[in-house]
Amino acid sequence: MALPYSHVNRYMFPSLSRFIARPYSVVSSHTYLRLNKSVYARQLSVPAGSISSRTLHQTQRFKPRCALYSSTNAASTLSTTAGDLASESTELPKYVPPQTGLLSYLPQRVVPYAELIRLDKPTGTYYLFFPCLFSTFIAATMITPMAAPAAVFGTTALFFTGALVMRGAGCTINDLWDRNLDPHVARTRLRPIARKAVSPQAAVVFTGAQLLTGLGVLLSLPFECFWYATPSLVLVTLYPLAKRVTNYPQAVLGLTFSWGAMMGFPALGVDLLSNPNALAAAACLYGSNIAWTVLYDMIYAHMDIKDDAKAGIKSIALKHEKETKAVLTGLAVVQVGLLTAAGVASGMGPVFFIGSCGSAVATLATMIWKVQLKSVNNCWWWFKNGAWFTGGGIALGLMSEYFAQYFSLYEKKGEIKEI
């Protein structure tokens, strides 16, 4: 196997790579003296430990007598050896079943399906859940009388269950779409469908079961939620396709993951179509969460930026690789601005603006400043923890605002909000 110089030089030393696929006559004795001991040992089919330094330096003396170095096969043998070593040096680790964590306690036949829905990586579930949580707290303050804590937290529990199920369904659909791309990306090559632990047919059946479960959760909410939620299924299906046709698939992901920003209102009985203030608040909150989704997924996309370029996968990280932090800053400004507008439209008090908006400014600024976009581990750390830094801060501010209004900590307002 003959390899181009540019490939071999990454893994071997220049003296060998210069002579790959070259005639024997140009391979000098000096070059052979510089060969690595392990390379020479492989050529002679003996253990590397049996080749002493003295033997290696005496190569010139017996090189002509060695059949391995005959004028007809010397270059091809070197090419094969270089190719083998290059393949070995770049060999990626094989799949190892989980030894720790939740998945290690599951039956072996169940593990691939748990991996398929990313049960061991719940960050995506949190990102899908937070918009639902935000809208629930805002909606709770916009009805008269205000929603009781039991109703708020009961609705929140249903939303979290739905987020867990539907995020799993989305991951399964994504992996079905990407089953021919994932094997070529280092981070995704060991996903269950990519490594053939789950067949596409089984994954389709599994997706159907998840969607039915999600429908059960949805029907546990007021029936109006069904009409609001159904259009999101189109976006769930189209997001993986967006990676093939546009440089901004994160925008489609934002439209999908932010859908919950509208769901809290019908879940607590607020009719968006008949309440202009609620509609404005929901629209601003939805836009804010879209900006947040594009922001954190742009950081996430930097983890795969090299493999995506090779595989032909499009992303905003590739499109704006040189000005990523400027784009992140712009997205953060949009997110906080629309979050503030949602608070104004819904009549929020200072607790929200200081707690939610203030914490969003602080956490986003810190993340954009500190994230190291060239480091896969650092991007993953900020993506994983940013869910709690920013999302948790906004949620805490909203919850505090809800209780401040519920216990009448503010002065009595001149007008009573009506639906």
Side-chain angles (χ1 to χ4, degrees), residues 160-204:
F160 182 80
T161 304
L164 178 64
V165 173
M166 293 308 297
R167 187 258 181 155
C171 289
T172 308
I173 293 172
N174 179 79
D175 288 4
L176 280 167
W177 272 105
D178 292 349
R179 63 185 182 276
N180 296 322
L181 293 177
D182 282 346
H184 304 289
V185 178
R187 185 180 56 83
T188 62
R189 53 182 285 275
L190 294 180
R191 285 178 174 173
I193 298 177
R195 71 172 192 268
K196 303 186 185 306
V198 176
S199 68
Q201 295 78 10
V204 170

Side-chain angles (χ1 to χ4, degrees), residues 70-261:
S70 65
S71 60
T72 59
N73 67 2
S76 63
T77 301
L78 282 172
S79 299
T80 302
T81 304
D84 292 342
L85 289 178
S87 298
E88 290 178 2
S89 64
T90 58
E91 183 178 357
L92 295 171
K94 297 181 179 180
Y95 173 77
V96 177
Q99 305 298 317
T100 59
L102 176 62
L103 299 192
S104 64
Y105 296 99
L106 298 178
Q108 187 173 359
R109 294 180 60 182
V110 177
V111 170
Y113 292 92
E115 292 175 329
L116 193 59
I117 64 174
R118 319 289 197 265
L119 192 62
D120 56 331
K121 298 174 181 176
T123 304
T125 300
Y126 304 148
Y127 277 120
L128 186 59
F129 167 67
F130 273 126
C132 303
L133 182 61
F134 300 161
S135 63
T136 300
F137 278 125
I138 291 178
T141 66
M142 297 191 73
I143 58 176
T144 305
M146 286 184 61
V152 172
F153 290 105
T155 301
T156 297
L158 286 173
F159 276 138
F160 182 80
T161 304
L164 178 64
V165 173
M166 293 308 297
R167 187 258 181 155
C171 289
T172 308
I173 293 172
N174 179 79
D175 288 4
L176 280 167
W177 272 105
D178 292 349
R179 63 185 182 276
N180 296 322
L181 293 177
D182 282 346
H184 304 289
V185 178
R187 185 180 56 83
T188 62
R189 53 182 285 275
L190 294 180
R191 285 178 174 173
I193 298 177
R195 71 172 192 268
K196 303 186 185 306
V198 176
S199 68
Q201 295 78 10
V204 170
V205 174
F206 186 48
T207 301
Q210 292 176 86
L211 292 177
L212 286 174
T213 304
L215 178 61
V217 175
L218 182 60
L219 293 178
S220 299
L221 295 165
F223 190 72
E224 290 77 10
C225 292
F226 176 83
W227 304 113
Y228 283 95
T230 301
S232 66
L233 294 178
V234 177
L235 296 171
V236 171
T237 304
L238 291 180
Y239 165 66
L241 179 63
K243 293 184 287 187
R244 296 161 172 79
V245 299
T246 176
N247 290 312
Y248 301 98
Q250 284 74 21
V252 181
L253 183 68
L255 294 171
T256 308
F257 262 55
S258 303
W259 204 263

Side-chain angles (χ1 to χ4, degrees), residues 41-75:
R42 284 178 62 110
Q43 292 171 337
L44 296 181
S45 299
V46 298
S50 64
I51 305 296
S52 66
S53 299
R54 180 179 179 182
T55 302
L56 188 64
H57 285 286
Q58 291 178 344
T59 306
Q60 183 182 6
R61 294 171 54 187
F62 59 83
K63 184 183 84 174
R65 300 197 303 270
C66 184
L68 178 66
Y69 296 131
S70 65
S71 60
T72 59
N73 67 2

